[in-house]
Amino acid sequence: MPAPDQVPPPVPSPLRQPAFLRFWLARTLSTGAFQITAVVVGWQIFTLTNSTLELGLIGLMQFIPMILLTIPAGHVADQYDRRTIVRACQAVEALAAAALAVGSYQGWLGAHGIFAAVAVIGAARTFESPTVSALLPGVVPAASLPSAFALSASAIQTATIVGPAVGGALYIAGPPLAYAAIAAVFALASLLVGGIALERAPPKREPPTVKSLLSGFVYIRDHSIVLGAISLDLFAVLLGGATALLPVYAQDILHTTPVGLGVLRAAPAAGALLTSFALARRPLTSRAGVKMFLAVGLFGVATIAFGLSTSFPLSLVALAVLGAADVLSMVVRSSLVQLQTPDAMRGRVSAVNSMFVGTSNQLGEFESGLTASLFGTVPAVVIGGVGTVVVALLWSRMFPALRDVDDLAKAHAPG
C-alpha cells in the first residue's frame, strides 16, 4: 500500500468547477438553438415552397461555408482568445435569428432570405465548432479532461434530444416567436461564454502564412494516434449511416407512425446520453484504445441488427446500443485528438477534424441512399454495418499506437 504522500489526489469533478458549468450550459444552449433552427427553418421553407428540392438546399447552404471556411477557422482559433471567437459566433447566430424573426413578423421574408440567414449561421458554426473543441482543454485541469469530454458529449446529446421537440412546439406558436426564442438562446450562450475563466493562457498569435494554415493537416499526418483517431471517425461515420434511412424503415418495414419515427430518431441520442453520463462518472482508466475499437465494432454489429430487424422494440434497442457505442468511441477519439495536440495547434487540428466529420456525415447519408437504391434498404444498412466492423479491425492493425492507448488521463499533449 503506498505511503500517504504517494496517494494521488482525487480527480476534481468538472461539475464542481464553475468555468466548466458555464461551458457545458453554453454548449447545450448553442447546440439546442441550432437544432431548433433546423426544425423551424425546415417547416417554414416547406410551407413557403412545398418543394423537397428547397429542403435539400438548406443543407447545401450550411455545407458550402463549412468547405470554404474550415481551414481559416482553425487558424483563427489558434491566434485569438477562443472565448471571444465563440462569443462572436453566437452573437452572429443570434442576429441572424433575430433577422428571421423580424422578416417573418413583417411578412417580407421569402425562401432566398431564409437561405441567406442559414448560410450566415452555417459560416458562424464553422468558426464556432472547432474553437469550442479547442477551448475545452483550457477550461478544466488536465486530470479532469476525460470526464469533461464525456460531459461535453452529453451536452450535444441533450440538445439533440430536446431541441427538435422544442422547435416543433415553438413553430406552432408561429415562426416570429420561434426565431425570437432562438435569438435569445444564442445570446444567452454568448453571455455565458464571456464569463468562463481559463486554466491556461490563450495561445500566442502567429502570423498567417500558407504553411501555418495547412499545419493542421501536417500535424495530423505526422502523428499516428491523431491520424488514426480522425480517419477512424471518418470511415465509421461514412459507412454507418443507418439513421438516414429511418423514414423508410418506419413506414415500410416497421410499419409505425410518424410518432414512432420520432421515437426511433431519439433512440440513438438517448443511448448516447446515458453512456456519456456514465463515462463522466467513471472515465476510462485502462485499455482505452482497445475499448474504443470494440465500441466501433459494436456500432457496426448494432447497425446490422437494426438493418435485419422487423420488430419495433428490437429496433429501438439496436439504435440505443448504436448510440451508446458511438458516444463511447467518440469520447475516446475526441479526447485523444485534443490531448495529443499542443494547445497552440488545437484550433487547426480541430478544424480539420470538424471538416472530415461534417463531410463524412453528408457523404454517409448519400452513401446510404445510393446503396439502398442499388441493393435495397435492408442490404444497404447491413453492408454499412459490416463495413464498419471491417474498418475497426483494419484500423486496429494499421494504428497499433492508437490501439495501445491505456489511460486517457495520461495521454497528455506533446510539447
Side-chain angles (χ1 to χ4, degrees):
M1 182 175 179
D5 59 346
Q6 295 178 321
V7 176
V11 176
S13 169
L15 293 175
R16 296 181 181 272
Q17 301 167 38
F20 179 78
L21 286 175
R22 281 179 171 268
F23 176 92
W24 188 91
L25 186 55
R27 188 161 204 186
T28 303
L29 290 173
S30 179
T31 306
F34 184 72
Q35 294 287 338
I36 296 169
T37 303
V39 172
V40 176
V41 164
W43 272 105
Q44 191 175 27
I45 282 290
F46 194 68
T47 299
L48 290 172
T49 67
N50 198 35
S51 168
T52 54
L53 175 61
E54 301 284 344
L55 282 176
L57 289 177
I58 296 172
L60 182 63
M61 291 300 103
Q62 298 174 67
F63 184 69
I64 291 174
M66 182 186 73
I67 293 298
L68 296 178
L69 298 175
T70 292
I71 301 305
H75 190 274
V76 169
D78 283 336
Q79 308 315 309
Y80 301 95
D81 189 322
R82 289 165 183 155
R83 295 167 298 181
T84 302
I85 298 168
V86 174
R87 288 193 70 191
C89 291
Q90 292 167 345
V92 168
E93 291 158 357
L95 290 173
L100 289 170
V102 172
S104 298
Y105 180 74
Q106 295 183 346
W108 51 260
L109 183 67
H112 289 90
I114 297 174
F115 289 143
V118 167
V120 170
I121 293 173
R125 296 290 293 182
T126 299
F127 280 85
E128 181 184 352
S129 181
T131 308
V132 167
S133 297
L135 173 63
L136 177 55
V139 173
V140 297
S144 300
L145 277 172
S147 293
F149 282 120
L151 286 169
S152 180
S154 77
I156 296 172
Q157 299 302 331
T158 299
T160 301
I161 294 172
V162 176
V166 173
L170 286 173
Y171 191 85
I172 294 173
L177 179 60
Y179 288 127
I182 292 167
V185 173
F186 275 129
L188 179 56
S190 182
L191 290 173
L192 286 168
V193 172
I196 292 175
L198 297 181
E199 287 283 323
R200 289 166 286 281
K204 296 179 179 179
R205 295 188 185 184
E206 178 183 343
T209 63
V210 173
K211 181 179 179 180
S212 67
L213 283 170
L214 300 178
S215 58
F217 290 98
V218 176
Y219 186 88
I220 291 169
R221 181 198 65 191
D222 294 342
H223 293 79
S224 63
I225 289 180
V226 180
L227 175 62
I230 290 178
S231 58
L232 177 65
D233 197 8
L234 171 66
F235 287 102
V237 172
L238 180 64
L239 293 171
T243 54
L245 299 174
L246 281 180
V248 182
Y249 268 85
Q251 181 173 320
D252 297 339
I253 297 174
L254 301 175
H255 306 292
T256 187
T257 64
V259 173
L261 174 59
V263 174
L264 289 171
R265 285 195 178 278
L273 180 63
L274 292 174
T275 303
S276 61
F277 280 129
L279 290 172
R281 288 181 59 85
R282 301 193 60 167
L284 298 177
T285 56
S286 65
R287 304 187 71 194
V290 171
K291 291 172 183 176
M292 177 195 66
F293 281 113
L294 289 174
V296 175
L298 179 60
F299 179 92
V301 171
T303 300
I304 295 169
F306 171 76
L308 296 174
S309 172
T310 57
S311 163
F312 186 80
L314 178 59
S315 296
L316 281 181
V317 172
L319 288 172
V321 171
L322 180 152
D326 184 41
V327 84
L328 193 157
S329 64
M330 185 270 287
V331 166
V332 177
R333 293 193 307 262
S334 60
S335 299
L336 288 174
V337 169
Q338 296 299 326
L339 292 171
Q340 288 286 310
T341 305
D343 187 59
M345 287 288 301
R346 281 189 176 123
R348 281 163 284 186
V349 171
S350 295
V352 176
N353 188 29
S354 294
M355 182 175 68
F356 283 170
V357 172
T359 302
S360 62
N361 276 318
Q362 301 287 339
L363 293 180
E365 292 184 5
F366 173 73
E367 179 270 339
S368 295
L370 179 62
T371 53
S373 66
L374 292 174
F375 306 112
T377 301
V378 172
V381 174
V382 172
I383 289 170
V386 171
T388 301
V389 173
V390 170
V391 166
L393 293 172
L394 285 176
W395 258 242
S396 68
R397 295 187 64 86
M398 292 168 55
F399 297 95
L402 178 60
R403 183 191 64 221
D404 294 339
V405 169
D406 191 40
D407 187 350
L408 285 179
K410 298 178 181 178
H412 297 301

